[in-house]
């Protein structure tokens, strides 16, 4: 990797300012530009922050980087959770945040064309009055960008039904390592002309090209939505409830599993009663073990679309049959409150050093994975809990040490690291993957060889070389 | 490209037989192995047909091809429609037809693991007793293979709702150009480890590697299905009906548009009365122009899932409001008959020289594309008709010359070629693509430069090079 010395960073600043304008280059960027939400990056890293106003500005930046051999880390909002946007000393950080125009919304074609820096929730907000929505919904939806979501192939809560980001992207506008603009894909829902560069670029974490715009698929808002809450006496029983759904024709739009630890943390943090079950008898649902006490695990589900009553009736039957104590949440405010508890669950159990992991397993293996997680925690003296997008087998184990204060800049304590290693290895042993939706970045590189064969890794490096022969785009990440 | 002379083909035959068994190599293959359903290939091409019994046999074949510099055309059932499997003189044709084991079906994980040579319909048949189905359904589903569908990223009738082949493939087992086995992807529904080689391989038409097995996603059979038939006075009105659906929250599982020419051909061929409207008044549907005569266009739709009555009621309202004369087909046998008429529509209007095209446009542009098709036909003295997977903007124009007898081995008459050229260019002008689902193969190479920039093509060749440095895998196709 080529690195520029301080002098050449100064020269570069001058040339970039000339090309992009004075305000487009910041020589001493604030700390958030050093890393992302998981990896703060080195506080003393020296790099240029480049904030182009338009696509031409991105091209000019990459042309200069190419000419001078300067590494470039591109980023959206920096909301990543795997260190994919950690700055490189002596390099540039290229932020797409000023490219935030929703260029076009076309309900008849069911597409929107957006700049990479558009906040994902802003697109959905613009679509709502038209009766449409954009399906990919990572928990970060209010702060992350479409471009960042594309770079990481972000997932979310509704993927089992609507797919991950990949399934909603039809076409891309990207800038290649030498500054050339490339358009890939198509505006029609189908298209098979040549190799699918769009799909290869999605999830490549800024290592192949810089995404500057995308044509995404939009969908009509479902005619109805219904939230269902099911409490189970143990985490394993909740996972069995997921299998019971798999055996049926019901496919919820969201199937969130909160294990007993997560439920306890959320209730303690919010003063909520997710784990309690006051209303179960009142609304007439059946629970074989009689009234429930706190401490169990929870499935929080959303149904949507036509036939919401039939869907709800079937789902209640299935979950009750699986031993759950089931509540149908008719009240919209109450439903929204429950989803808010879920979305903010990462904040629960705070005030101590914590690692939020991201693995996925074949979905029938969730119970085994969750049981293994508890065992691993016991063995290493680490507190564990997990939330899971259970419909697609993706789970986020939380590994924490209650006695150790929260300080993201300090190295993770050895017991957490050792437990994380076992968690990742267990996911692989169960036929899963080391990253379900957060990406590899810098955080997961050490496990890459466990999942990818030398043949695969060498091929991926050759593909990287085909895009970026000088190795300047986000070097040291993802691959 | 390296080619072997006849002597070396004989040497190769001996070495392949030694490695794979006597019955695995055929020196004078029957004519169907020379090409596919669209391009018969040169009758005098001299090549070896290799029929391995297992993955190791595929590896041994590619190792030998690599060692001797012999080009390899891999194929499933040869049911393609773009010349993607046309044999190369002096090369090998590697058929996956003997790898036809359904290795595993796991309803709880919602996956099946299948050999590449499994006939697509055979998988669905095996899944049916378990209450599951495999969504991708190209019209060739009864004869084409999963591997062939993956190579072309095959589409079909249900893609607007369930996605194309790409959306149903989670993992691949492929053999690289040098015979190395590579596993890509994951068994969980989510996974973002490294570059997505699975997605790059899908649709690459055998130019990057040979697919030998796949882990595919399966889905529960919907709780209900309903067929709806809507007749419109003109093709343009039927296309407007598609836009009316787009404005609503109803999303049919299939939305097939048959233009007036296709309807007339189908009725003439089958003695059916698709274009007539005997029952419209009887079942009380409203048509603003009064009783209908033959000659109109048709939308044939399938709804599925929960709330089938609400869905049907909404769809009938929408299509009636758009000027359609709508029949809900309650009788299963009648519904099956209608879908059979649709599936066999390529046989209608036969006995004359015909080209079946495949383009896609943004779906709001269907009316313009269909109008342009008629104009193009008039200008070139070519009879035109079209069927469209209207929900995703993919259409199959048929271009024929009534006076010219059917003979697939003869060159296409100049007026058909000239009309096809205009059809493809019009699709591109409307923001569409030169191939919606059939692929590029040899048939569409001449239009590649109209859709793909020099930057894109050069990048695709570098990617090809990264996979296949000697250029032996399906050379001269797709790219």
């Amino acid at each position: 990797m080529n690195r520029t010395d301080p002098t050449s960073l100064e020269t570069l600043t001058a040339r970039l300012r000339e090309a992009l304008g004075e305000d487009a280059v910041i020589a001493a960027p604030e700390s958030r530009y050093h890393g992302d939400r998981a990896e703060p990056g080195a506080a003393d890293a020296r790099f240029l922050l480049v904030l182009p106003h338009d696509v031409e500005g991105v091209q000019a930046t990459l042309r200069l980087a190419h000419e001078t051999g300067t590494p470039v880390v591109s980023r959206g909002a920096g909301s990543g959770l795997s260190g994919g946007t950690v700055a490189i000393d002596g390099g540039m950080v290229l932020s797409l945040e000023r490219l935030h125009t929703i260029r076009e919304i076309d309900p008849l074609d069911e597409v929107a064309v957006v700049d990479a820096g558009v906040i994902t929730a802003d697109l959905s907000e613009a679509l709502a009055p038209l009766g449409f929505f954009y399906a990919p919904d990572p928990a970060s939806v209010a702060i992350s960008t479409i471009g960042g979501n594309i770079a990481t192939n972000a997932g979310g809560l509704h993927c089992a039904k609507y797919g991950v980001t990949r399934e909603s992207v039809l076409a891309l506008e990207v800038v290649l390592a030498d500054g050339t603009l490339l358009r890939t894909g198509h505006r029609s829902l189908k298209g098979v002309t040549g190799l699918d560069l769009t799909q290869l670029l999605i999830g490549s974490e800024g290592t192949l090209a810089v995404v500057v715009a995308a044509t995404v698929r939009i969908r009509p808002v479902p005619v109805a939505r219904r939230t269902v809450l099911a409490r189970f006496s143990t985490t394993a029983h909740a996972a069995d409830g997921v299998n019971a759904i798999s055996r049926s024709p019901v496919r919820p739009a969201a199937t969130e599993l909160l294990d007993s630890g997560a439920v306890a943390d959320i209730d303690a943090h919010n003063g909520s009663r997710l784990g309690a079950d006051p209303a179960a008898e009142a609304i007439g649902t059946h629970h074989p073990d009689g009234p429930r006490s706190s401490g169990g695990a929870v499935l929080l589900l959303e149904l949507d679309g036509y036939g919401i009553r039939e869907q709800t009736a079937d789902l209640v039957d299935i979950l009750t049959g699986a031993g759950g104590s089931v509540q149908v949440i008719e009240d919209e405010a109450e439903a929204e409150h429950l989803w808010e508890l879920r979305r903010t669950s990462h904040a629960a159990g705070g005030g101590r050093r914590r690692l939020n992991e991201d693995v996925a397993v074949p979905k029938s293996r969730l119970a085994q994975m969750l049981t293994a997680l508890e065992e691993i925690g016991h063995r290493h003296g680490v507190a564990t809990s997990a939330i899971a997008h259970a419909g697609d087998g993706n789970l986020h184990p939380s590994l924490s040490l209650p006695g150790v204060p929260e300080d993201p800049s300090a190295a993770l304590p050895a017991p957490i690291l050792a437990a994380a290693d076992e968690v990742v290895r267990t996911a692989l042993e169960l036929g899963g993957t080391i990253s379900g939706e957060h990406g590899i970045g810098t955080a997961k590189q050490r496990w890459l060889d466990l999942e990818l064969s030398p043949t695969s890794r060498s091929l991926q490096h050759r593909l990287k070389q085909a895009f970026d022969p000088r190795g300047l785009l986000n070097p040291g990440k993802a691959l």
Side-chain angles (χ1 to χ4, degrees), chain A:
Chain A
M1 181 191 330
N2 296 293
R3 295 209 180 164
T4 50
D5 60 29
T7 327
S8 50
L9 271 190
E10 275 161 33
T11 316
L12 204 54
T13 303
R15 292 190 60 189
L16 280 167
R17 287 194 169 139
E18 195 182 335
L20 306 179
E22 281 295 317
D23 67 337
V25 188
I26 291 167
E30 45 183 305
S31 63
R32 65 193 174 98
Y33 289 102
H34 286 243
D36 66 10
R37 286 192 292 164
E39 305 273 332
D44 61 353
R46 186 151 190 269
F47 61 93
L48 295 185
L49 172 62
V50 189
L51 298 149
H53 293 275
D54 49 29
V55 173
E56 292 70 28
V58 178
Q59 292 185 263
T61 305
L62 286 171
R63 268 195 303 270
L64 263 172
H66 193 250
E67 185 195 318
T68 55
T70 312
V72 178
V73 177
S74 57
R75 61 182 270 145
S79 60
L81 292 167
S82 67
T85 56
V86 168
I88 291 168
D89 193 59
M92 295 186 208
V93 166
L94 170 57
S95 169
L96 281 304
E97 68 196 83
R98 286 180 180 167
L99 279 71
H100 53 60
T101 304
I102 298 175
R103 299 185 190 175
E104 186 193 350
I105 292 174
D106 188 330
L108 286 187
D109 285 343
E110 288 182 56
V111 300
V113 184
V114 295
D115 282 353
V118 168
I119 300 291
T120 307
D122 288 352
L123 174 59
S124 286
E125 205 172 300
L127 292 169
L130 305 167
F132 280 77
F133 76 112
Y134 174 64
D137 63 337
S140 62
V141 71
I143 54 168
S144 61
T145 64
I146 299 276
N149 294 171
I150 290 169
T152 55
N153 187 23
L157 276 61
H158 291 87
C159 301
K161 180 157 184 175
Y162 293 107
V164 292
T165 296
R166 176 180 302 296
E167 272 90 47
S168 284
V169 178
L170 297 172
L172 292 176
E173 210 173 288
V174 304
V175 178
L176 298 176
D178 65 358
T180 310
L181 189 68
L182 171 70
R183 291 189 175 85
T184 71
H186 34 84
R187 186 186 172 101
S188 51
L189 296 186
K190 276 185 189 158
V192 290
T193 302
L195 300 178
D196 203 320
L197 301 180
T198 309
Q199 292 296 325
L200 180 60
L201 287 159
I202 296 169
S204 64
E205 300 188 28
T207 62
L208 302 184
V210 176
V211 174
V212 290
T215 303
V216 299
R217 183 175 181 171
I218 60 176
R219 297 165 190 270
V221 172
V223 291
R225 288 201 171 105
R226 186 68 40 89
T227 294
V228 174
L229 178 66
R231 295 180 176 89
F232 295 84
S233 53
T234 66
T235 299
H237 284 141
D240 286 345
V242 175
N243 286 337
I245 297 170
S246 298
R247 286 188 200 95
S248 82
V250 184
R251 285 297 173 273
T255 305
E256 295 292 301
L257 185 151
L258 307 168
D259 80 353
S260 50
V263 169
D265 279 348
I266 290 170
D267 282 346
H269 183 70
N270 299 284
S272 53
R273 291 173 58 79
L274 206 53
D277 196 4
E281 298 305 314
I283 64 166
T285 54
H286 164 76
H287 193 277
D289 306 325
R292 303 287 317 290
S293 61
S294 289
V298 155
L299 289 182
L300 181 62
L301 308 110
E302 183 179 272
L303 298 165
D304 71 9
Y306 281 92
I308 201 78
R309 279 190 209 162
E310 301 164 69
Q311 291 189 55
T312 306
D314 281 3
L315 184 62
V316 169
D317 281 354
I318 292 158
L319 293 174
T320 307
S325 171
V326 187
Q327 270 182 283
V328 178
I329 314 298
E330 305 273 358
D331 182 70
E332 271 189 43
E334 192 184 347
E336 183 41 42
H337 173 65
L338 289 172
W339 288 107
E340 189 60 22
L341 288 178
R342 161 62 192 87
R343 273 194 298 268
T344 57
S345 59
H346 61 276
R352 58 201 197 198
R353 194 62 165 120
R354 175 186 300 274
L355 175 65
N356 286 310
E357 257 301 336
D358 163 50
V359 293
V361 293
K363 67 178 183 161
S364 69
R365 302 304 193 95
L366 264 178
Q368 279 171 275
M369 185 68 223
L370 291 164
T371 304
L373 173 65
E374 279 184 46
E375 287 165 9
I376 292 166
H378 284 306
R379 210 159 41 243
H380 293 279
V382 165
T384 63
S385 65
I387 52 170
H389 310 306
D392 53 40
N394 182 202
L395 69 165
H396 299 303
S398 160
L399 308 167
S400 62
L401 275 180
V404 180
E406 213 169 2
D407 174 10
S409 66
L412 279 164
I416 289 184
L417 287 173
D421 189 63
E422 280 197 51
V423 165
V424 168
R425 288 171 189 270
T426 305
L428 283 172
E429 278 161 22
L430 293 173
T433 172
I434 67 172
S435 179
E437 59 182 7
H438 290 172
I440 301 303
T442 52
K444 291 228 153 158
Q445 303 239 345
R446 61 187 146 142
W447 294 298
L448 266 179
D449 276 336
L450 297 178
E451 180 164 345
L452 302 179
S453 65
T455 301
S456 175
R457 293 201 69 182
S458 130
L459 183 55
Q460 298 198 24
H461 281 287
R462 293 202 299 281
L463 297 177
K464 158 82 173 168
Q465 178 85 6
F467 273 89
D468 178 21
R470 300 191 67 179
L472 298 176
L473 299 182
N474 219 3
K477 311 283 173 60
L479 309 183

